[in-house]
Amino acid sequence: MTGWRFLLSRRWAGYLALVIVFAIVCVLLAMWQLARRDEAVAEIDRVATNFDADPTALTSALPELDSYDPSQEWLTVSMQGHYLVDDQVLVRNRPLGGDVGFDVLVPFQLTSGEVFIVDRGWVPTGQKQDVPDAIPAAPTGTISVVARLKAGEPHLDNRSAVPGQIATIELPVLADQIGLPTYTAAYGLLASENPAPADRPTAAVKPTPDEGAHLSYTFQWFAFGLLGFVALGYIVRQEFRRVNEDDPEEQERAAERERKRLARKTDAEIEDEIIDNRS
């Protein structure tokens, strides 16, 4: 089967189908990486917009106990009231700077009566036991609090905790424990308290803007999909030369390729070939 007619065989149709499937997979992976980058950029924009913004009254930002929109993440809110220190709980297995410790959650009752969960910060695991050595106490009395909104966390199966601790910031569970009207969609990372206590848990830091390498991976996956067709074209060309090696026109092209190959060789390479042929 001379010329290009060999491409009409079932075998080569299978090769083409395989390359097309590979290219589709590469495109899907590229689009997935692009979506991941869009998510990272959206998070960077939210931090830039909300983290250092002037505080908004909590009741204005969250008019209902179950109000919260993802665009409000890191939004700075203010409130007045007092901490329910007897209902303080610790969140287990919270990393910070390579260490593992606890987040300190203290319910904050607004002057209007509703309760908002405030994450006052992070404390390290104790030196000799699996609880903190010390937890800075929340201030008592009526105070003003500024916090940054975060969405509540989902339930995690097969995760448990001892009394006074929780495995995840599952706000409906905390609301049941408190027994008062409680915000169940969002909680707050403490920014400041007024009057401020002498000591407090380690505060959450502003996230560092980082898109990651998603854009680079996107281009790589597109390139891989294209290289599949390039590789198929090379194999097709090699097969054409093999199938048509007795064709005079192809023999002439092969001779021309050989002349060009020899022209690119150095004198030393030519001498080595002559010696190898003689031996």
Side-chain angles (χ1 to χ4, degrees), residues 78-250:
S78 61
M79 64 205 85
Q80 287 189 328
H82 65 278
Y83 282 115
L84 303 177
V85 293
D86 291 338
D87 292 310
Q88 173 177 290
V89 295
L90 301 177
V91 191
R92 297 176 56 85
N93 299 321
R94 294 284 152 156
L96 180 68
D99 295 326
V100 177
F102 300 83
D103 276 2
V104 182
L105 300 185
V106 188
F108 187 83
Q109 188 170 26
L110 309 181
T111 53
S112 56
E114 298 86 2
V115 174
F116 183 72
I117 303 299
V118 175
D119 185 340
R120 295 193 68 241
W122 180 89
V123 291
T125 303
Q127 296 295 321
K128 297 182 179 179
Q129 71 284 330
D130 189 24
V131 292
D133 288 334
I135 302 174
T140 58
T142 301
I143 63 171
S144 297
V145 166
V146 175
R148 295 183 174 93
L149 295 182
K150 292 286 289 183
E153 298 175 357
H155 174 75
L156 297 179
D157 293 329
N158 303 320
R159 293 281 297 274
S160 60
V162 300
Q165 299 180 12
I166 56 175
T168 181
I169 305 178
E170 194 173 356
L171 297 175
V173 172
L174 292 173
D176 290 341
Q177 294 176 0
I178 297 167
L180 295 170
T182 302
Y183 287 85
T184 55
Y187 68 100
L189 298 176
L190 179 62
S192 66
E193 296 162 327
N194 185 24
D199 191 18
R200 58 160 289 185
T202 302
V205 298
K206 184 176 183 177
T208 302
D210 183 13
E211 294 184 10
H214 301 300
L215 190 59
S216 174
Y217 292 150
T218 297
F219 291 139
Q220 288 179 22
W221 282 118
F222 280 131
F224 290 155
L226 180 61
L227 285 175
F229 289 100
V230 172
L232 179 64
Y234 175 79
I235 296 172
V236 167
R237 185 60 179 170
Q238 294 300 107
E239 181 72 3
F240 174 84
R241 292 171 179 174
R242 186 189 67 79
V243 169
N244 295 278
E245 59 185 359
D246 295 330
D247 181 73
E249 291 185 1
E250 179 58 28

Side-chain angles (χ1 to χ4, degrees), residues 20-36 214 217-218 220-225:
I20 291 174
V21 170
F22 174 74
I24 291 173
V25 171
C26 289
V27 169
L28 291 176
L29 289 170
M31 298 307 294
W32 175 68
Q33 286 290 346
L34 201 58
R36 293 286 305 278
H214 301 300
Y217 292 150
T218 297
Q220 288 179 22
W221 282 118
F222 280 131
F224 290 155

Side-chain angles (χ1 to χ4, degrees), residues 247-265:
D247 181 73
E249 291 185 1
E250 179 58 28
Q251 289 177 350
E252 183 177 344
R253 287 192 291 267
E256 180 62 23
R257 289 194 297 271
E258 181 64 15
R259 285 193 295 270
K260 291 181 179 179
R261 186 182 69 85
L262 292 175
R264 290 195 298 268
K265 287 186 176 182

